[in-house]
Amino acid sequence: MISNFAYVRARSVAEAVKALGTKGARLHAGGTDLMGCMRDGIFEAQKVVSISGLKELKGVSARPDGGVKIGALTTIADIAADASLAGKYAVLTQAAAEVASPQLREQGTIGGNLCQRPRCWYFRGDFHCARKGGDMCYAAEGENQYHAILGGERCFYVHPSDTAVALVALQAGLTVAGPSGTKTVKVENFFVGPDKDILRENILAPDEIITAIVLPPIAGSVRSSYRKIRARRAWDFALASVGIVLQYEQETVSKARIVLGGVAPYPWRAAAAEKLLVGKKPDSAVAAAAAQAATEGADPLRDNGYKVEMVKGAVEESILALA
Amino acid sequence: MRTGEPYFAQTGAGAPAGQTGADLPPWGETRIVGKPLPRVDGYERASGTAVYVRDMALPGMLHGAIVRCPHANARVKNVDVSKAEKMPGVRAVITGQTPAAKIPWYSGDKGPTSWLFDAHCRHEGEEVAAVAADTPEQAQDAARAVSVEYEVLPFVVDHEKALEAGAPAVQEGGNRFGEPSVYQRGDVAAGFAAADAVIENTYHTPTVFHTAMEVHGSVVQWDGDRLTVWDTTQGVFNRRIELAQIFKMPLSSIRVVSLYMGGGFGSKLEVGKYTVIAALFARMTNRPVKIFLSREETFLCAGNRPANRIWLKAGVKKDGTLTALEARFSGPAGAYPSWDALSSYQISDLYLCPNVRTEEQNVFINAGKARPMRAPGFPACSWALEQTMDQLAAKLAMDPVELRLKNIPTVSQIEKNIPYTTTGLRQCIAEGAKTFGWSEARRGSRGDGHVRRGTGMAAGMWGWAGEPSAIVIVKLLADGSVNLNMGASDIGTGTKTVMAMVVSEELGVPLEKIAIEHADTATTQYAPDSGGSQITLVCAPAVRAAAAAVKAELLSLAAAELSQPAAALRLRDGAVEQTADGKRVPIADLKSLGERQLLIGVGRRAPHPAGKTALPFVAQFAEVEVNTRTGAVKVLRMVAAHDSGRAMSPLTYKNQVIGGFAQGLGLAISEQRVMDRQTGKVVNANWHDYKIPTALDVPTSHTCLPIDLHDTECNTTGAKGLGEPATIPSAAAIANAVCNAIGVRFFDGPITPARVLETLARKGA
C-alpha cells in the first residue's frame, strides 16, 4: 500500500524540472514502475511530479535529417504499432511489442521504459541490499538464476528494458532537460554500471527529465530484429535478449550492431561478435562464430550459466533470420 | 492422502427414499442437463456487478492490517506498539500479549502446536501483531510503525536437508511430521524378481501456489453475541464449525456467508487467522472490521502445494504386465502440521499391479504451512508414475498407450478390490489417443533442426468419492418461479449453473426463473466444502431429489385440478403439459398452486453405494515444441479425455479442463517457489516473479473429450468429479512430450528454459 505523498501535475517541462528540485520528489510519466516501487516500499516519494499531461512530449515525428524523433511520453504500444518505424527501425518496434503486457504497453512510456529500476528480486523484495544502501548483494551468493553474466560487480541486476537494447543497437540519442537547459546524450552512454555507482542505473540527476529519443537516419540496406527469451510469453522480462542492426552491401554485412539484454546491468554491446560479422556473408558458420563471440567475457554466477548458451542460441537464430 | 477415512457426515443416512431421490430413475434424454448453456451468473461476474467480499463496505467499518515476521525463524522478544497506537485513525492494536488473542492454532495429532500470535515465528510472514484503523492506508501505516525486536534463529527451508543430522529443529519434536505412512500389498521383492525390465529413479516437483484470482479476506460483524462473517471460503459450513470451536459458541450464533468467490483451489478450506483477528477487533471496537491479505501475503501465509521428492521403482514383464511398484515420498508440510499433502494413491490404484509398497514422510521446514491444492499430492505422483510408465514402455519398445492399456483395473486394489461403479480409464486412454491422432503423431517427424516437436500422454485418477452430505430445499412459488436453496459455495466452477440446470431439468422451469440462495449458514442448509471435486456429485443429486419432490406434488395438484392422471402429465417450459395431446396450462395458472402459494421439496444426498467406489479417470495428451538453443518449451495442442460421469454442463466442464491443464502447464514448465538460501525468505512472493502461465502460454488448441459414462450407481445424476482430474496428469503429459521431442527426460520440474539448457549442456558434456 502506498504511503502518503504530495502530487504536482506539471504544466511544462520547466515547471516539472523545478518541482523535481526538492528533496524526495519523483517523476511520474506512465507510472507503471513508479507506482509499483512506491507500493513495494523500494523508495519513498514525498512528492510525485507528473508530466503525463504534457502533450508536447508525445508522438513520433520525422526529422529534417531523415531521422526520427520520439517524444519521451510516447507509449510503448504506440511505438510498437507505428508504421513509420516498422520497417527501418524494426528492432525498436519489435522490442516495444515484446514489453510486458498489452495493458502495460498502453500505459508505459518510452522515457519511463529506459528509466526503470532493476527487477532483481532482492532489490524489489524485503531485502536491504547494496543498491538500497545496504552492505551486500544477496544475489552474489543467493538465488541468481535471473542475474547478470556480464558487467556485474558488487551488484548483479540485469537492466530490464527491452527498448534500451534496441535503441543502443540503433545508436539512438536522448534529449534531456534539466535546470540548466537541455543536453543530448547517446543512449549507449546513458546507463551507469554498478562498478561506477551502485545506487543509480543512469546518469539522470533527480531534476533531469528525458524529453525525446532521437533515431539517426537509416540509409542503404539495413535489416534489424529483436529477439527476447523469457520464462513465459507475456508479462515477463528477458532471460536474455538480442537486438541486431545489420547494414548490408549486397550480401555482405558492412556494419553490425549486436546488443544483448537481460544479461548485464545495461544493454551490452557484443563488440567481438559485431567485428566478426563485418565484411562477411552471414552464413551458418559465420553466425555460429558470431554467436560464440557474443558472450566473450561472460562470468556466470552459480545458477545463471545457462544464459551463455541462451545468448548464443538467440544471436545465431537472429543473424540467420536476417540473412 | 490417507485412505479408508470415514465420511465426515451422511445427511441422507436413514432418510426416506423420497428425500434422497433413491426412487428416481436415471434421466433418459435430457433437455437442459448436458446442454451447452451459459453460466447463470456470468453477467454479474463479467460485468462487475457481482459483490465479492472484497467489495463490501459496511457503515463504520474498520480495516485491519497484520504485522508479519520478516525472518524464517525467530523469537519475538518485544513488540512496541506505542507509536502505532498514536497514529491517525488507529482504533485498536492486538499482539500476542492481548488476552483475547491467546487462541491455540495449527492442531496436529497431539493438539495445537501454536497460537494465533506465537512468540516463536517459524516462517517468514507469521503473524506478530495487528492493527485496526479507519482506512486501509492508516492500518498499513500503523502496522509499519509497530516495532518488533526479534532473536533471529537458524532455519531450514529445504525439506531434504531438514532430515539431515544437525538440521535446525522447526518443531520441538524434530522435523519429521508424523511417522511414515506405509501402504503395502503383495511382495515387491518377488515382483521385481519376476520383472523383465525395471526402472528406478528419483523425481522432484517444486512447491507451487494456488494463486486464486481473489485474495483471502473477511468482513466481520458482531450483533450482541451473534457473529457474522462474510468470508472468501470454499465452504461456509465447515468455517462455521471452526469458528464455533475457536470462540466456544453455538453453531446457531454464527453466520458465515460467501456469495461470490474468486477461486480457491484448496487454499480456502480452513479458517484464516485474518478472520479471527478481524472478529477480535470487531469485538474490541464494536464495529464491523475488514481484513484482506495482499497478494504478497498470500504467497507466505495462505498455503501452497508442497514440493515432492519421489523415489519410484517399477518392474514390468515383456508383455507389459506390471509386476511391482515401490515408492518413497517426502515433502514439506511447512512449519506446522498441515493437510497430509503427499499421495501415492495412484501408484497403488491406477494400474493393475499385485505387488506395491509405498511410504510417505511429511517434513517440517521453516516455511508457510501447506494447504490442499487441486488434487493434493496427485499431480506430483503423476509426474513420477507417468514418466516411469513411459520409461518402461521405451525399455520394452512398446507404445506408451499400449503399455497403459495392458494394465487397466476394474476394481479398486487400494480398497481391497471392491469394484468401481464405473471406470472409463480404458476409454479415456483409447478414445483420447484416437482423437489426438496419437499413432500418426508418434510416427511423424520430430524435426531435424534445433526446434523439435514431440508428443506425450499421461493417465490419472482422483481418489476421493466425496462426502455424501448435502441438504437442499427447492421452493416453487405461486407464479411458477423457483428458489433453489443450497449451502454450497460456487467458487468459480459453475456450481450455481449446474444446480440450476438440474432444477430446470426436473421442473421444466426456464433457468432465468430460478433464483439461487446459497453459501449462507443462516439461510441455507448443510453442504460440504467446495473442494475435492465433490460438489457436483454430492449436491446435484440432493437438488434433483428436492426438485423431484416439488414436481411430484405439483403434478398431483395439477392432476386433481385438470382431472387427468398424474402419469399423463409432464412439466415443460413453465407449463403443465398433457403428454398425449400437448395441451398446456402454465404453472402460474394452476389455482391449487395459487391457494398454497408455495411448494417445498427437501432433498438429501444419499450415502454412497455400499461395497463400491466411484472415482473419476482421465487421460491427457499434449504436443510440444522445444527450442534446444533457447530452452523454450511451448505446448502446441492438448486433448483431454475425462471420465467424470455425466458431463452436466459442457461449457463449465470445458472451463474446468482448460483451467486444470493450464495449472498443470505452470507446474510443468514455469512455476516454483524460490527461497533464498541465505535468509530462508521467499524471493518470488509476487505475481511477477512467480510465473503462472499467461494467455500466450496455454496452447491455442484445447480439445475436451468427455467420456460421457453416466454413473447412475454413484448418484441419481450420473456425475462424478472433474475439477481435480483436470490437472492431475497435465504436467506429466507435458514432461513425456518434451522427452519425446528431444530425447532427454526431466526428472525434476519445472522444465524451465534454464533447466532445459543446463540439462542439454550436461548431456553434451
Side-chain angles (χ1 to χ4, degrees):
Chain A
M1 212 165 281
I2 295 176
S3 296
N4 208 4
F5 58 88
Y7 181 70
V8 175
R9 192 166 173 80
R11 283 165 299 181
S12 67
V13 171
E15 197 177 292
V17 166
K18 195 166 170 228
L20 284 170
T22 57
K23 195 174 179 298
R26 296 274 175 177
L27 184 67
H28 169 268
T32 57
D33 194 32
L34 178 74
M35 304 309 281
C37 285
M38 289 170 66
R39 178 185 175 279
D40 294 342
I42 308 308
F43 51 71
E44 294 271 309
Q46 274 86 50
K47 187 203 281 182
V48 171
V49 179
S50 180
I51 54 168
S52 62
L54 301 184
K55 289 199 177 65
E56 62 269 33
L57 298 186
K58 289 175 190 166
V60 178
S61 54
R63 281 163 49 90
D65 67 353
V68 174
K69 179 184 156 192
I70 303 173
L73 289 185
T74 309
T75 66
I76 303 298
D78 282 346
I79 290 170
D82 193 283
S84 69
L85 298 172
K88 280 186 182 171
Y89 302 103
V91 64
L92 178 59
T93 56
Q94 288 174 12
E98 296 285 310
V99 170
S101 64
Q103 296 92 327
L104 288 163
R105 291 196 291 272
E106 289 291 343
Q107 181 67 23
T109 66
I110 182 78
N113 195 262
L114 299 178
C115 297
Q116 293 175 78
R117 301 306 311 273
R119 279 283 161 184
C120 166
W121 47 27
Y122 292 105
F123 179 72
R124 294 275 170 163
D126 179 28
F127 299 88
H128 191 55
C129 76
R131 186 162 291 274
K132 288 191 283 198
D135 55 9
M136 71 178 279
C137 169
Y138 287 85
E141 301 292 330
E143 309 312 312
N144 49 35
Q145 57 260 49
Y146 296 138
H147 290 77
I149 55 171
L150 288 157
E153 198 177 308
R154 297 191 294 149
C155 169
F156 294 89
Y157 82 96
V158 296
H159 201 277
S161 172
D162 293 301
T163 60
V165 173
L167 292 175
V168 171
L170 288 168
Q171 298 178 266
L174 300 173
T175 311
V176 174
S180 49
T182 62
K183 62 180 179 186
T184 58
V185 59
K186 286 268 171 207
V187 177
E188 192 168 356
N189 301 324
F190 176 68
F191 300 101
V192 175
D195 53 330
K196 304 249 169 34
D197 187 344
I198 203 162
L199 296 175
R200 53 157 68 189
E201 294 86 43
N202 59 57
I203 60 163
L204 288 184
D207 55 357
E208 288 183 319
I209 301 171
I210 299 176
T211 54
I213 286 92
V214 177
L215 303 180
I218 292 219
S221 168
V222 171
R223 296 173 214 169
S224 72
S225 70
Y226 184 77
R227 175 94 163 88
K228 177 176 179 179
I229 297 145
R230 49 193 157 181
R232 62 181 171 198
R233 286 182 178 72
W235 194 32
D236 208 359
F237 293 88
L239 295 171
S241 70
V242 55
I244 301 196
V245 179
L246 300 180
Q247 176 127 25
Y248 283 82
E249 309 246 343
Q250 272 86 41
E251 295 303 302
T252 307
V253 174
S254 58
K255 283 182 192 158
R257 295 274 286 193
I258 300 182
V259 183
L260 309 179
V263 294
Y266 40 87
W268 184 268
R269 270 192 72 187
E274 292 173 357
K275 203 181 276 178
L276 261 166
L277 282 178
V278 173
K280 306 229 174 64
K281 275 188 185 170
D283 57 17
S284 53
V286 170
Q292 187 67 33
T295 56
E296 202 178 273
D299 186 11
L301 303 165
R302 189 192 53 244
D303 293 333
N304 65 1
Y306 70 91
K307 286 193 176 188
V308 175
E309 290 309 309
M310 186 176 274
V311 167
K312 284 184 199 164
V315 169
E316 195 173 329
E317 272 189 0
S318 295
I319 293 172
L320 292 174
L322 287 179
Chain B
M1 191 164 86
R2 288 186 296 269
T3 58
E5 280 179 344
Y7 297 115
F8 303 138
Q10 302 236 10
T11 57
Q19 279 198 7
T20 61
D23 54 349
L24 294 174
W27 282 314
E29 198 178 322
T30 54
R31 295 161 57 82
I32 304 294
V33 166
K35 305 294 184 236
L37 301 171
R39 286 174 190 253
V40 295
D41 59 356
Y43 177 82
E44 290 87 334
R45 285 186 186 266
S47 65
T49 58
V51 177
Y52 290 78
V53 182
R54 185 70 184 252
D55 303 322
M56 286 184 60
L58 297 177
M61 186 174 79
L62 301 179
H63 299 265
I66 296 171
V67 180
R68 297 184 182 277
C69 175
H71 307 290
N73 195 16
R75 213 171 282 282
V76 177
K77 306 292 283 183
N78 185 47
V79 183
D80 180 358
V81 300
S82 54
K83 197 174 157 209
E85 280 176 332
K86 296 190 194 88
M87 303 266 291
V90 172
R91 302 283 177 169
V93 180
I94 301 178
T95 71
Q97 301 303 313
T98 308
K102 199 73 185 164
I103 294 172
W105 211 268
Y106 295 137
S107 284
D109 291 342
K110 293 172 193 145
T113 57
S114 182
W115 302 94
L116 183 62
F117 297 100
D118 196 325
H120 181 182
C121 295
R122 295 174 180 84
H123 66 88
E124 183 194 12
E126 193 160 335
E127 295 77 1
V128 175
V131 180
D134 290 344
T135 70
E137 290 80 7
Q138 288 171 334
Q140 197 62 53
D141 285 349
R144 283 198 200 115
V146 172
S147 168
V148 186
E149 193 189 324
Y150 296 99
E151 177 194 352
V152 179
L153 303 170
F155 64 86
V156 60
V157 293
D158 177 315
H159 70 102
E160 296 182 53
K161 289 194 177 128
L163 293 181
E164 291 171 4
V170 180
Q171 287 285 340
E172 285 63 25
N175 293 342
R176 285 180 193 276
F177 166 29
E179 294 300 309
S181 152
V182 177
Y183 169 84
Q184 195 163 333
R185 72 169 176 258
D187 177 348
V188 284
F192 287 122
D196 294 317
V198 172
I199 290 286
E200 176 186 347
N201 281 303
T202 300
Y203 304 81
H204 290 89
T205 57
T207 294
V208 297
F209 294 103
H210 308 77
T211 66
M213 190 72 84
E214 175 195 48
V215 292
H216 303 59
S218 306
V219 173
V220 176
Q221 178 170 255
W222 288 91
D223 178 8
D225 287 336
R226 288 162 166 260
L227 174 66
T228 302
V229 177
W230 291 267
D231 196 23
T232 57
T233 178
Q234 292 177 237
V236 293
F237 291 92
N238 282 340
R239 296 304 84 68
R240 179 170 71 168
I241 291 170
E242 290 165 332
L243 287 166
Q245 287 165 353
I246 288 167
F247 290 114
K248 303 186 171 52
M249 288 169 63
L251 289 173
S252 57
S253 296
I254 299 174
R255 179 180 183 187
V256 182
V257 189
S258 187
L259 298 187
Y260 284 97
M261 262 282 291
F265 307 112
S267 77
K268 295 172 181 169
L269 289 168
E270 62 183 65
V271 69
K273 283 190 176 180
Y274 48 84
T275 310
V276 172
I277 293 168
L280 293 175
F281 276 136
R283 182 75 108 180
M284 290 161 77
T285 61
N286 211 16
R287 301 242 216 160
V289 176
K290 181 182 197 172
I291 299 183
F292 263 82
L293 303 188
S294 67
R295 175 62 60 189
E296 290 77 5
E297 286 175 292
T298 68
F299 282 95
L300 301 177
C301 316
N304 54 72
R305 174 197 281 154
N308 272 210
R309 177 193 190 274
I310 302 173
W311 169 84
L312 175 58
K313 184 177 175 185
V316 69
K317 286 216 175 271
K318 275 189 191 127
D319 68 357
T321 313
L322 288 171
T323 61
L325 289 165
E326 187 178 8
R328 283 195 295 276
F329 285 62
S330 62
Y336 294 102
S338 75
W339 170 276
D340 174 3
L342 302 172
S343 177
S344 54
Y345 194 105
Q346 291 177 105
I347 288 174
S348 309
D349 212 41
L350 182 61
Y351 298 116
L352 268 179
C353 185
N355 308 300
V356 176
R357 186 181 189 282
T358 63
E359 196 175 307
E360 301 167 3
Q361 175 69 60
N362 288 280
V363 181
F364 290 122
I365 62 168
N366 292 110
K369 189 180 80 76
R371 290 185 184 178
M373 178 169 160
R374 205 168 190 173
F378 279 61
C381 181
S382 267
W383 180 265
L385 175 61
E386 293 301 293
Q387 291 210 68
T388 298
M389 291 300 282
D390 265 36
Q391 291 168 77
L392 290 172
K395 218 159 180 182
L396 299 175
M398 186 179 278
D399 185 283
V401 162
E402 191 190 337
L403 174 64
R404 287 171 174 85
L405 289 175
K406 293 227 170 189
N407 293 284
I408 305 285
T410 54
V411 296
S412 173
Q413 301 161 91
I414 202 171
E415 299 273 11
K416 300 197 164 63
N417 291 338
I418 63 172
Y420 299 116
T421 47
T422 49
T423 165
L425 179 59
R426 179 177 298 280
Q427 288 103 308
C428 286
I429 296 171
E431 291 177 34
K434 198 171 155 202
T435 300
F436 185 80
W438 175 259
S439 307
E440 303 77 9
R442 294 290 279 198
R443 281 196 303 270
S445 164
R446 288 168 206 170
D448 48 12
H450 67 280
V451 179
R452 301 290 175 100
R453 281 190 176 206
T455 49
M457 60 85 59
M461 69 183 298
W462 173 230
W464 169 239
E467 175 195 332
S469 301
I471 304 171
V472 168
I473 294 174
V474 169
K475 297 182 265 188
L476 177 69
L477 308 181
D479 65 351
S481 65
V482 172
N483 276 132
L484 165 59
N485 181 286
M486 61 161 189
S489 297
D490 184 339
I491 64 170
T493 56
T495 298
K496 284 157 75 182
T497 304
V498 169
M499 302 308 161
M501 287 167 76
V502 171
V503 172
S504 181
E505 184 70 42
E506 283 297 322
L507 291 179
V509 173
L511 287 173
E512 57 273 18
K513 285 200 174 174
I514 300 169
I516 299 171
E517 299 150 354
H518 77 298
D520 181 341
T521 62
T523 61
T524 65
Q525 329 313 321
Y526 182 85
D529 286 316
S530 294
S533 303
Q534 66 182 352
I535 279 300
T536 298
L537 66 108
V538 164
C539 294
V543 172
R544 188 180 175 209
V550 168
K551 178 181 175 179
E553 191 173 359
L554 179 65
L555 285 179
S556 103
L557 289 179
E561 190 168 326
L562 304 176
S563 305
Q564 295 281 332
L569 302 174
R570 64 184 182 193
L571 300 174
R572 281 277 193 282
D573 304 325
V576 179
E577 195 173 279
Q578 295 186 18
T579 316
D581 58 9
K583 207 174 140 201
R584 296 161 54 87
V585 178
I587 293 174
D589 291 354
L590 289 174
K591 287 194 188 66
S592 47
L593 179 61
E595 283 161 8
R596 299 210 184 186
Q597 282 295 309
L598 176 67
L599 301 184
I600 292 186
V602 176
R604 291 169 181 269
R605 175 58 154 86
H608 287 310
K612 292 199 175 182
T613 186
L615 297 171
F617 296 89
V618 53
Q620 293 183 346
F621 300 76
E623 180 164 5
V624 302
E625 190 179 85
V626 184
N627 185 324
T628 58
R629 298 299 305 276
T630 66
V633 173
K634 185 173 187 179
V635 179
L636 303 172
R637 67 186 178 106
M638 63 80 98
V639 169
H642 283 265
D643 164 26
S644 288
R646 183 195 290 274
M648 303 283 283
S649 163
L651 296 184
T652 58
Y653 190 107
K654 193 171 180 189
N655 276 176
Q656 285 287 319
V657 170
I658 292 175
F661 187 82
Q663 235 165 2
L665 172 66
L667 176 66
I669 71 170
S670 62
E671 296 183 38
Q672 57 182 326
R673 178 176 71 188
V674 182
M675 302 190 84
D676 176 41
R677 67 198 68 195
Q678 305 159 111
T679 60
K681 289 159 71 73
V682 181
V683 294
N684 60 345
N686 63 72
W687 249 357
H688 166 250
D689 290 309
Y690 182 80
K691 314 284 185 189
I692 58 171
T694 68
L696 294 185
D697 296 293
V698 298
T700 49
S701 165
H702 290 96
T703 303
C704 171
L705 182 70
I707 306 297
D708 205 22
L709 296 172
H710 299 172
D711 193 338
T712 50
E713 208 174 347
C714 170
N715 66 76
T716 62
T717 64
K720 295 194 286 188
L722 175 65
E724 280 159 305
T727 203
I728 288 171
S730 314
I734 292 166
N736 281 336
V738 169
C739 180
N740 179 248
I742 61 174
V744 175
R745 186 156 293 285
F746 290 87
F747 300 100
D748 301 344
I751 310 173
T752 58
R755 198 184 297 279
V756 170
L757 292 177
E758 282 162 3
T759 308
L760 287 173
R762 263 202 311 277
K763 297 268 168 188

